[in-house]
Amino acid sequence: RTKSSLGVLIHRVTLSSGRRLVCSSGRTGLFRRHYGVCRCRGLWLVAKLSRLHLPSGCFTEIDVQGFAPPDSNEVVAAAKVCGAAAESPSVKRLHLLVADKDFSFKAGQWVDFFIPGVSVVGGFSICSSPRLLEQERVIELAVKYANHPPALWIHNQCALDSEVAVRVGGEFFFDPQPADASRNLVLIAGGVGINPLLSILRHTADLHRARASTGGGCEVGTVKLFYSAKNTSELLFKQNILDLVNEFPEKIACSLHVTKQTTQISAELQPYITEGRITEKEIRDHISKETLFYICGPPPMTDFFSKQLENSHVPKEHICFEKWW
């Protein structure tokens, strides 16, 4: 996955002719004279060239490692694995204990994930709420199996008490303040793109609890989650999602979609399941001037819904999206 505020380390570029170039990293201001530069969805991809100028759009394959810029002000904190479990056949859930009190995050953000002995830096969205970190110094990740060194390490080598380091990044978050006007949220998730949206959903639940118990704090409107996966076994955190729906029936609702279900759907899930993709009409029915839209999933899905919302005259500042690749 890539993120708009990342630094970029490019391992390989394949040209349309099939030729490959070894690439390097750096900021465009430092490398402009000797590096070919291509803008890609907010990321500067910096390819070192040898007497060759590459026009924009000539890349057919780019192997990218993303990481927060080294001059970032964010804290790099030591973390220890304090829990791990299978969330689905392809996704492993990880709990990390982060003792550093200077480490914090906003609901929806991700972490750079540094593993001793592994040169590639991982990038994973946090799926827990900020409240869990405040109370227990724990963050939660859910990592899909992939042929990528950090993901392979998490699935095959990670064990209790394994030590790593993490650094927060990202501009995709929901962080309302007490003085802000109440907003409704529509969360649109595809596959493992549920992670940052689950963090936001859990955060809104914490805000509802705090307001109910103290009468103060941030006021949040309704939240509607649209979540699509291949089948019910790949709908991550479905029990937690349903628990929140049942705890806040007038505030939180969900519509779970499956696109390739081959087995019978359980009676408990049946009322919330729709077979087929999330439709434009379902989203359009929730448009209002008080509503913010958060979208995270595969790029085609994210592009489709963000474009449809813009075509429906939703202000761009009310549409937040993040892509995973």
Side-chain angles (χ1 to χ4, degrees):
R1 51 174 293 154
T2 58
K3 311 175 185 76
S4 61
S5 58
L6 298 181
V8 176
L9 175 61
I10 307 174
H11 302 289
R12 184 185 72 246
V13 171
T14 301
L15 309 183
S16 55
S17 64
R19 296 174 59 193
R20 287 184 177 179
L21 296 176
V22 177
C23 302
S24 187
S25 64
R27 291 184 295 180
T28 56
L30 299 177
F31 293 93
R32 192 175 302 277
R33 286 185 300 172
H34 303 292
Y35 287 66
V37 179
C38 171
R39 182 79 174 180
C40 177
R41 296 286 182 192
L43 290 175
W44 286 108
L45 302 182
V46 186
K48 186 174 183 180
L49 308 178
S50 177
R51 298 181 184 177
L52 177 64
H53 174 70
L54 297 181
S56 175
C58 70
F59 306 123
T60 60
E61 182 183 356
I62 305 173
D63 184 8
V64 178
Q65 177 191 344
F67 56 93
D71 55 354
S72 169
N73 291 325
E74 299 296 343
V75 174
V76 177
K80 181 179 290 189
V81 176
C82 60
E87 179 60 31
S88 81
S90 63
V91 174
K92 187 172 182 179
R93 184 159 34 95
L94 212 60
H95 284 86
L96 299 174
L97 180 65
V98 187
D100 190 339
K101 295 294 180 64
D102 290 329
F103 178 88
S104 64
F105 74 97
K106 299 172 183 175
Q109 289 188 299
W110 43 265
V111 289
D112 291 329
F113 193 84
F114 302 92
I115 306 165
V118 178
S119 60
V120 179
V121 180
F124 306 116
S125 290
I126 303 168
C127 58
S128 52
S129 72
R131 183 69 56 84
L132 182 65
L133 179 65
E134 292 166 7
Q135 294 182 339
E136 303 180 25
R137 302 310 307 168
V138 168
I139 63 171
E140 184 177 10
L141 309 177
V143 179
K144 190 177 180 69
Y145 182 87
N147 189 27
H148 183 63
L152 287 174
W153 181 87
I154 287 171
H155 279 263
N156 299 332
Q157 295 177 254
C158 175
L160 285 178
D161 296 328
S162 290
E163 296 181 349
V164 296
V166 289
R167 176 173 55 197
V168 170
E171 298 301 318
F172 181 87
F173 57 80
F174 179 62
D175 184 36
Q177 301 302 307
D180 293 346
S182 175
R183 294 288 193 181
N184 299 324
L185 302 182
V186 172
L187 311 178
I188 307 170
V192 77
I194 186 63
N195 281 332
L197 301 184
L198 182 65
S199 177
I200 291 172
L201 184 66
R202 287 169 161 173
H203 185 46
T204 61
D206 285 336
L207 294 175
H208 286 313
R209 293 185 191 108
R211 193 166 179 84
S213 63
T214 67
C218 298
E219 183 179 1
V220 183
T222 61
V223 183
K224 180 63 180 277
L225 170 67
F226 293 91
Y227 179 19
S228 177
K230 183 173 63 175
N231 54 52
T232 53
S233 68
E234 292 294 342
L235 284 169
L236 310 180
F237 303 102
K238 49 187 173 287
Q239 189 56 58
N240 183 214
I241 292 168
L242 296 186
D243 288 345
L244 294 177
V245 170
N246 291 326
E247 183 180 356
F248 301 99
E250 296 181 0
K251 290 291 188 179
I252 297 176
C254 72
S255 177
L256 307 177
H257 289 245
V258 290
T259 57
K260 296 181 180 179
Q261 185 73 20
T262 57
T263 59
Q264 187 172 355
I265 298 169
S266 70
E268 182 186 18
L269 281 178
Q270 191 68 57
Y272 305 95
I273 294 288
T274 299
E275 297 200 46
R277 299 184 184 279
I278 303 167
T279 66
E280 176 190 352
K281 181 183 182 305
E282 288 177 285
I283 305 303
R284 193 169 57 239
D285 288 344
H286 290 271
I287 293 175
S288 76
K289 63 181 181 180
E290 298 85 15
T291 301
L292 303 179
F293 294 85
Y294 286 82
I295 313 166
C296 187
M301 173 186 173
T302 304
D303 288 340
F304 175 79
F305 284 116
S306 60
K307 191 170 297 183
Q308 291 301 322
L309 289 168
E310 286 184 28
N311 291 343
S312 297
H313 308 294
V314 175
K316 286 187 177 182
E317 60 269 23
H318 289 185
I319 306 169
C320 309
F321 60 86
E322 186 168 59
K323 300 179 182 181
W324 55 267
W325 304 84

